[in-house]
Amino acid sequence: MAEQPQPISPLKNFFAGGFGGVCLVFVGHPLDTIKVRLQTQPKPQPGQPPLYSGTFDCLRKTLVGEGIRGLYRGMAAPIVGVTPMFAVCFFGFGLGKRLQQRKPDDVLTYPQLFAAGMLSGVFTTVIMAPGERIKCLLQIQAATGETKYSGSLDCAKQLYREAGIRGVYKGTVLTLMRDVPASGMYFMTYEWLKNILTPEGKSVSDLSVPRILFAGGLAGIFNWAVAIPPDVLKSRFQTAPAGKYPNGFRDVLRELIREEGVASLYKGFTAVMIRAFPANAACFLGFEVAMKFLNWIAPNL
């Protein structure tokens, strides 16, 4: 296995991870909007067609009805959250690696990298859960024809006014169920691909841009292959009226399986997979470029 990264610099990880997260949101948000609308569309009445027949139908209707801005509904919430979230995410992964090293130069196994990635998922949930809640509500309100929230801040204020902090953090357990195993897969896959793509005698830090893009994009595919079922449950639960699912995700799961079958757990699969590669390729490339820049201007930071 190729060499491990240098010791963690929290400040460098903050800026590099934040820049990578901004790159991910900007590239991936349009298809995230489509994914959420597909996952949360109401069940059609007997004899009536569904609101969206699939990914491309949702894309077409969104563009026709709302223009390109419709694809970026709710982006303010994840943009505001990406810098601390990805800082914590990449820091958490690095910390997870350090905790498993007996010596600074120890090379970790892939199961150990998976465990370190899972720790990053725990760290990010505190920031991710309210951002996801606000984002999902803003993404679906255009489809319902009702404008309840004027923006991210207004949505957060109304949620807090209606149900306190619990209303803002609704869906936290499902966010954990999605992000902990998915983050383990995400980082382990990225490290594995970087290692196998590194030419003999070269360093991982010298990987070319196309190879970083490929490793990051494929890591995103593996991440979402794990994350889609809990993500569907999370989107349904976070956008449901208060009190609809008193037993949490178990009620959501039972309703989905009973009414729409197991396949409903993979709603939005096409949109997710189309989004996963470019968005996560952009994220890891942004992170690597920012980290190299920070190492150049402040090598001892």
Side-chain angles (χ1 to χ4, degrees):
M1 188 180 294
E3 63 187 277
Q4 293 293 317
Q6 295 298 311
I8 307 160
S9 167
L11 193 57
K12 287 180 181 177
N13 274 266
F14 178 86
F15 287 110
F19 183 71
V22 170
C23 294
L24 180 145
V25 173
F26 186 78
V27 172
H29 193 80
L31 279 163
D32 186 71
T33 297
I34 292 172
K35 176 206 72 172
V36 171
R37 290 185 177 184
L38 288 171
Q39 289 175 345
T40 58
Q41 66 176 319
K43 185 179 179 182
Q45 297 296 319
Q48 297 294 318
L51 181 60
Y52 307 117
S53 61
T55 298
F56 295 104
D57 181 54
C58 183
L59 173 63
R60 181 183 61 81
K61 288 179 177 176
T62 300
L63 288 173
V64 169
E66 304 167 59
I68 192 71
R69 292 181 63 183
L71 295 173
Y72 284 91
R73 298 276 183 190
M75 193 174 75
I79 281 288
V80 168
V82 288
T83 298
M85 184 190 74
F86 274 81
V88 169
C89 180
F90 280 90
F91 176 79
F93 177 57
L95 179 62
K97 290 189 291 184
R98 288 287 295 275
L99 288 173
Q100 297 179 90
Q101 289 179 318
R102 295 183 179 180
K103 296 178 296 183
D105 58 348
D106 280 350
V107 176
L108 299 181
T109 65
Y110 290 116
Q112 286 175 315
L113 291 170
F114 185 86
M118 289 197 297
L119 181 62
S120 78
V122 174
F123 276 33
T124 57
T125 296
V126 174
I127 303 169
M128 178 73 84
E132 286 279 299
R133 168 95 154 121
I134 293 166
K135 171 182 70 71
C136 289
L137 288 170
L138 290 174
Q139 285 172 332
I140 69 163
Q141 78 168 358
T144 64
E146 176 190 357
T147 305
K148 183 178 180 181
Y149 310 111
S150 61
S152 299
L153 185 58
D154 179 57
C155 182
K157 286 180 178 178
Q158 290 196 45
L159 289 174
Y160 185 79
R161 189 161 54 243
E162 291 168 3
I165 196 67
R166 292 185 64 180
V168 178
Y169 273 87
K170 182 178 179 180
T172 298
V173 172
L174 281 164
T175 305
L176 274 170
M177 289 173 61
R178 181 192 69 177
D179 288 349
V180 169
S183 294
M185 181 64 72
Y186 188 51
F187 282 107
M188 183 190 72
T189 303
Y190 181 64
E191 295 290 330
W192 168 63
L193 287 167
K194 282 203 304 180
N195 287 326
I196 66 173
L197 290 171
T198 301
E200 190 70 30
K202 297 288 186 179
S203 168
V204 170
S205 62
D206 296 327
L207 272 183
S208 65
V209 168
R211 293 187 182 200
I212 291 172
L213 288 171
F214 179 77
L218 206 55
I221 296 285
F222 276 79
N223 170 82
W224 278 104
V226 173
I228 288 178
D231 186 63
V232 172
L233 298 177
K234 181 196 69 65
S235 295
R236 282 292 184 102
F237 183 68
Q238 287 186 318
T239 57
K244 182 175 181 181
Y245 300 116
N247 296 311
F249 75 90
R250 290 171 294 176
D251 286 349
V252 187
L253 179 61
R254 278 194 290 263
E255 180 185 85
L256 275 173
I257 298 297
R258 182 178 66 250
E259 296 186 0
E260 303 177 47
V262 175
S264 63
L265 293 173
Y266 288 88
K267 279 191 171 184
F269 180 86
T270 303
V272 167
M273 289 306 172
I274 292 173
R275 169 187 180 270
F277 192 95
N280 289 283
C283 174
F284 276 111
L285 179 62
F287 175 81
E288 299 285 1
V289 169
M291 187 60 76
K292 284 187 177 182
F293 177 73
L294 291 169
N295 286 334
W296 177 63
I297 64 171
N300 300 317
L301 187 63

